[in-house]
Amino acid sequence: MKRILTSSVALAVLAATHAFAQRKATIENVPEISFTSAPNFLKLPPGEYLGESVAVATNSKGHIFVFHRSANTRLFEFDRGGEFLKEIGSGYYGFEFSHSVRVDKDDNIWTVDEGTNMVTKFSPDGKVLMVLGRRPPAVVGAQAFPAGPNVPAEKYIFCRPTDVGWDPQGNIFVSDGYCNNRVVKYDKNGRFLAQAGSEKAGKALGEFNLPHGLQVDAQGNVWVADRTNNRYQVLDNNLKPMREITNLGVGWTLCISPGPHQYAFLSNSNPNGNMPGTWDITGEIYKAELDGTVIGKFGHPGKVVPGFQVVHMMDCRNPNEIVVGEIESWRVQKLILQPTTARAGAAR
Amino acid sequence: MKRMIQALLAATAIAGVPAIAQREAPEIRFDSVPNALQLPAGLYLGEVGGVATNSRGDIFVYTRTGHPTISIGTARPFAHGGSRLFQFDRNGKFVREIGKDSYGFMYAAQVRVDPSDNIWVVDEMTNMVIKFDPQGRVALLLGRKAENVTVPARPRAGGGPGQPTDLFDRPTDVAWDAAGNIFVADGLGNARIAKFDKDGKFLNSWGKKGTAPGEFADVSSIAVDGQGNVYAADGGNQRIQVFDNNGNFKTAFTNVGNAQALCMTKGSNQVLYVSNSNPPNDIDRDGEIYKMRLDGTMTGKFGRAGKLLKEFGTVNAIDCASENTLYVGEIGNLRVQKLILH
């Protein structure tokens, strides 16, 4: 009997490892936050379409930027009412396969492209101000998908980077990414300062296995969605690990709201490739205090609005109006949340 | 003394700086003109292979704009696209695009303008040198693009055979002597210089992979002086080599670091600019540009690697039609800077 138990435990572990992407959050008794999805939120001109809408951000005027995987990766700007304004970076060298867009405090627009391995800072009017990383040179020809161990991480070269953030001093933080497993810190002029993690995936604090989203809070602490490790990590400003959050399912992406009282929004996104039952246990977004106290959750997987179909990025400039970009439904939703009162219904 | 050397070595090791003696030359004060080129909305520079000016001061930029395409559903995989040639006026206002969708544009290596204002483009992936007349019509072609590509790309054999033919393997630059003979730096695949007459007839070539005089790690840039001597940037060997008009080795300047981009002024008192370009994966070393006399004496230096104005990200091209107004094309920062030297 003991042997049977052992082997079924081993099986369960194997199954859990295998099904990492449909992990149920272990937190319990989290109150539901009711919300509505603004109907027909983004209005596209005739003949224009969104592709996989993996990245979304707003600026101080409420304009919405969507960095999406169309036939070519493209960056669209909409006004606060969802009317299309313009395209930025059409045909640009650093666009091939979008992953993140974020807007800094001066309304510069930063794109993270995991096809070109480039992070680009655009001015508010769409001029290139700075680039980090380098696109692999085309002159070496078409490359087979890389296999084998990751090449050693370099200070100024990324490997499928995923996200970017800044501390109040303007230092730049990049999560890098699918084939490196690290977070890199640069000064505001793009000079390398420090890194946590390396090209190798790891489970210890300060190590990562697919750092997939990144935000920096007002104290300069760096929050990382450590996706394949099913957790979030919080690092200090020098990238020393402080703590981890392990009870919210897969750490797919996160957003930290601005202002004097900051909230973290943390998404246990339903995975690409759903097995039966997956929709019942994943897909929700948590709202938490920065000390980790979870104050509510909202949302479920679904193809139809207001369902979520693999939430890939959230904007939370207004913590009661969350703009979410989804991979599989090629759309952006604006969610109007019922405001929470601080600490009410706190769950651990 | 010994202790001092040890301390110096230790400091060098800590800073991660290569143990090369600092090249002594006075600093040249300079400024970078902000927004030197004004691109229309929706047009972006990629990595800048080349920048050059004509006699009117018009600026030509040959840039890797990205997205080279390989077709599928075809008898063989064909490739096209990836680089564009833009023209700006002397004030940096966009004028036009030349060679849009050209068969020969894939991976910008260099652009140069000859004394008759013809525009010469060197492409490192189609292995072609294309001469456009001032109106933008194709006037002369050197080399030939491979008909198809191999998918996935085969590892390179090692290159550098110095093949004595009129076909190229990753050429990087072009220059002319007073008689109009054409010199092609060929380049990164071959490691040689090829000479053609003014009508494109192949005459001879010299050099192969190696470190001996007359051999190259690679040839990334060339310039020809008023006497017809040929200066070749051999950055992998940390030197510039000088040859006579027929390729006989004359001398080498060995104090120039990773010589990647050359420019020589015209007129009677010619000077040479050379960039000790930082590698694309590191902005914490190198990056400065040197000014030299043609005897190899350094007369000044300026700049360093970085991302701000007055800093450089892997300089691949310098235009010096005017000795104190330079245009610099960068790989790392996707831009052209206009520099005023004081």
Side-chain angles (χ1 to χ4, degrees):
Chain A
M1 183 61 195
K2 193 177 166 203
R3 177 168 295 171
I4 294 172
L5 260 182
T6 313
S7 58
S8 50
V9 167
L11 265 178
V13 169
L14 194 67
T17 313
H18 195 67
F20 68 90
Q22 53 169 313
R23 196 176 134 115
K24 185 178 190 304
T26 55
I27 192 168
E28 291 178 337
N29 302 319
V30 181
E32 285 283 338
I33 301 171
S34 67
F35 72 101
T36 56
S37 177
N40 301 315
F41 175 47
L42 293 185
K43 271 76 80 179
L44 284 149
E48 294 286 11
Y49 297 85
L50 294 181
E52 292 190 339
S53 300
V54 294
V56 62
T58 63
N59 70 8
S60 65
K61 295 200 263 288
H63 291 188
I64 300 129
F65 298 87
V66 183
F67 188 39
H68 62 101
R69 297 168 184 166
S70 195
N72 298 307
T73 269
R74 301 171 77 180
L75 174 60
F76 288 173
E77 180 176 357
F78 300 84
D79 73 12
R80 62 183 306 130
E83 295 291 337
F84 180 84
L85 289 176
K86 65 173 189 285
E87 177 171 8
I88 293 170
S90 171
Y92 167 62
Y93 192 68
F95 286 3
E96 186 68 46
F97 204 64
S98 58
H99 200 271
S100 171
V101 62
R102 302 274 188 186
V103 175
D104 69 20
K105 63 180 165 49
D106 301 314
D107 276 351
N108 299 303
I109 308 139
W110 295 64
T111 56
V112 181
D113 188 282
E114 61 140 313
T116 61
N117 294 338
M118 286 174 68
V119 176
T120 305
K121 176 187 183 182
F122 290 92
S123 67
D125 60 349
K127 297 271 188 289
V128 174
L129 296 180
M130 185 163 74
V131 296
L132 297 170
R134 190 190 184 200
R135 184 176 178 143
V139 70
V140 300
Q143 300 300 299
F145 192 73
N150 297 334
V151 298
E154 295 194 38
K155 287 189 291 184
Y156 293 102
I157 302 287
F158 302 126
C159 195
R160 299 182 63 192
T162 54
D163 210 350
V164 65
W166 317 270
D167 66 16
Q169 289 72 44
N171 293 307
I172 306 158
F173 298 83
V174 176
S175 50
D176 174 41
Y178 281 87
C179 34
N180 288 326
N181 291 282
R182 64 172 181 167
V183 173
V184 198
K185 178 183 182 182
Y186 300 92
D187 75 10
K188 65 182 164 60
N189 299 324
R191 285 197 188 272
F192 176 91
L193 294 175
Q195 77 169 25
S198 69
E199 72 277 9
K200 294 187 180 69
K203 288 183 176 156
L205 276 182
E207 296 179 337
F208 305 93
N209 192 346
L210 180 43
H212 190 253
L214 179 148
Q215 288 271 266
V216 185
D217 68 23
Q219 272 63 57
N221 297 324
V222 182
W223 293 56
V224 182
D226 188 11
R227 184 171 128 186
T228 304
N229 279 334
N230 297 313
R231 67 179 176 187
Y232 300 88
Q233 287 195 64
V234 186
L235 316 174
D236 75 10
N237 193 259
N238 297 314
L239 303 184
K240 194 163 152 288
M242 298 166 66
R243 60 196 169 90
E244 60 181 348
I245 300 167
T246 59
N247 60 347
L248 301 181
V250 173
W252 196 284
T253 186
L254 79 163
C255 183
I256 295 179
S257 63
H261 189 139
Q262 296 190 287
Y263 296 99
F265 293 86
L266 308 143
S267 179
N268 180 25
S269 305
N270 62 304
N272 306 121
N274 287 279
M275 296 183 211
T278 306
W279 280 18
D280 303 330
I281 59 168
T282 61
E284 73 282 13
I285 295 172
Y286 293 93
K287 181 179 182 182
E289 304 285 357
L290 292 201
D291 67 3
T293 308
V294 174
I295 51 183
K297 65 174 181 178
F298 56 93
H300 296 280
K303 301 267 181 190
V304 178
V305 171
F308 299 158
Q309 205 41 239
V310 194
V311 169
H312 192 269
M313 199 157 169
M314 300 173 280
D315 176 273
C316 58
R317 185 176 290 272
N318 176 344
N320 296 315
E321 280 188 13
I322 311 299
V323 184
V324 299
E326 296 157 89
I327 302 182
E328 289 189 12
S329 284
W330 299 6
R331 74 183 164 210
V332 169
Q333 295 189 60
K334 180 158 105 175
L335 312 176
I336 318 294
L337 305 192
Q338 174 196 58
T340 52
T341 46
R343 302 277 169 177
R348 279 280 190 179
Chain B
M1 182 62 194
K2 192 174 163 204
R3 176 170 297 172
M4 197 171 151
I5 288 172
Q6 278 171 342
L8 265 175
L9 282 175
T12 307
I14 288 164
V17 177
I20 299 170
Q22 188 67 31
R23 293 165 198 94
E24 291 301 331
E27 284 287 336
I28 298 173
R29 290 187 306 112
F30 74 109
D31 286 302
S32 177
V33 179
N35 303 311
L37 298 182
Q38 296 105 48
L39 284 145
L43 208 56
Y44 293 84
L45 296 185
E47 294 185 347
V48 173
V51 58
T53 59
N54 69 9
S55 63
R56 290 203 312 266
D58 283 2
I59 305 148
F60 299 86
V61 180
Y62 189 38
T63 174
R64 301 166 192 164
T65 42
H67 314 288
T69 301
I70 295 175
S71 56
I72 57 174
T74 44
R76 291 174 282 158
F78 302 99
H80 65 273
S83 286
R84 299 169 76 178
L85 175 61
F86 298 136
Q87 180 177 351
F88 302 82
D89 72 14
R90 58 181 304 123
N91 300 315
K93 188 164 170 289
F94 180 81
V95 174
R96 63 173 170 162
E97 177 171 6
I98 297 171
K100 183 169 163 44
D101 295 329
S102 167
Y103 185 68
F105 285 9
M106 285 194 73
Y107 198 75
Q110 199 51 265
V111 60
R112 301 276 192 180
V113 177
D114 72 17
S116 307
D117 277 352
N118 299 299
I119 307 131
W120 296 66
V121 159
V122 182
D123 193 285
E124 194 182 318
M125 198 164 182
T126 65
N127 295 318
M128 297 195 69
V129 176
I130 306 171
K131 175 187 180 182
F132 293 95
D133 70 16
Q135 287 70 47
R137 290 184 292 257
V138 173
L140 186 76
L141 296 170
L142 302 176
R144 189 185 178 219
K145 179 183 176 180
E147 292 183 358
N148 62 282
V149 293
T150 309
V151 179
R154 290 199 198 98
R156 301 188 64 81
Q163 291 289 347
T165 79
D166 64 353
L167 298 177
F168 307 123
D169 186 358
R170 298 186 65 184
T172 54
D173 204 358
V174 63
W176 317 270
D177 65 17
N181 293 307
I182 305 156
F183 299 85
V184 175
D186 177 39
L188 302 182
N190 289 325
R192 61 156 188 166
I193 293 168
K195 181 179 177 182
F196 300 80
D197 76 9
K198 66 180 170 49
D199 297 320
K201 179 184 176 188
F202 179 57
L203 298 176
N204 68 309
S205 71
W206 67 87
K208 63 181 167 89
K209 273 272 197 242
T211 56
E215 297 178 343
F216 305 100
D218 46 50
V219 191
S220 58
S221 186
I222 55 171
V224 179
D225 70 16
Q227 278 66 54
N229 299 308
V230 180
Y231 298 69
D234 182 17
N237 286 328
Q238 305 269 313
R239 67 186 177 189
I240 296 169
Q241 296 194 62
V242 187
F243 303 89
D244 72 14
N245 196 261
N246 294 310
N248 299 303
F249 176 82
K250 293 181 74 170
T251 186
F253 309 148
T254 56
N255 53 347
V256 293
N258 176 39
Q260 182 162 334
L262 293 182
C263 186
M264 192 179 289
T265 59
K266 298 180 181 64
S268 51
N269 262 322
Q270 291 185 286
V271 302
L272 185 64
Y273 291 98
V274 55
S275 169
N276 175 25
S277 300
N278 62 298
N281 64 349
D282 196 352
I283 62 170
D284 298 324
R285 54 176 290 192
D286 305 332
E288 72 279 11
I289 295 174
Y290 292 101
K291 184 177 183 180
M292 312 176 76
R293 293 198 202 101
L294 296 199
D295 64 2
T297 311
M298 285 212 182
T299 57
K301 66 176 177 182
F302 56 93
R304 65 165 186 162
K307 296 176 184 293
L308 303 176
L309 286 180
K310 299 179 68 175
E311 295 180 337
F312 305 130
T314 311
V315 170
N316 198 62
I318 304 171
D319 176 86
C320 58
S322 159
E323 184 174 334
N324 292 312
T325 303
L326 306 185
Y327 291 91
V328 170
E330 297 165 75
I331 301 285
N333 294 328
L334 314 187
R335 69 182 176 193
V336 168
Q337 290 191 72
K338 180 180 184 177
L339 308 180
I340 311 295
L341 307 191
H342 303 302

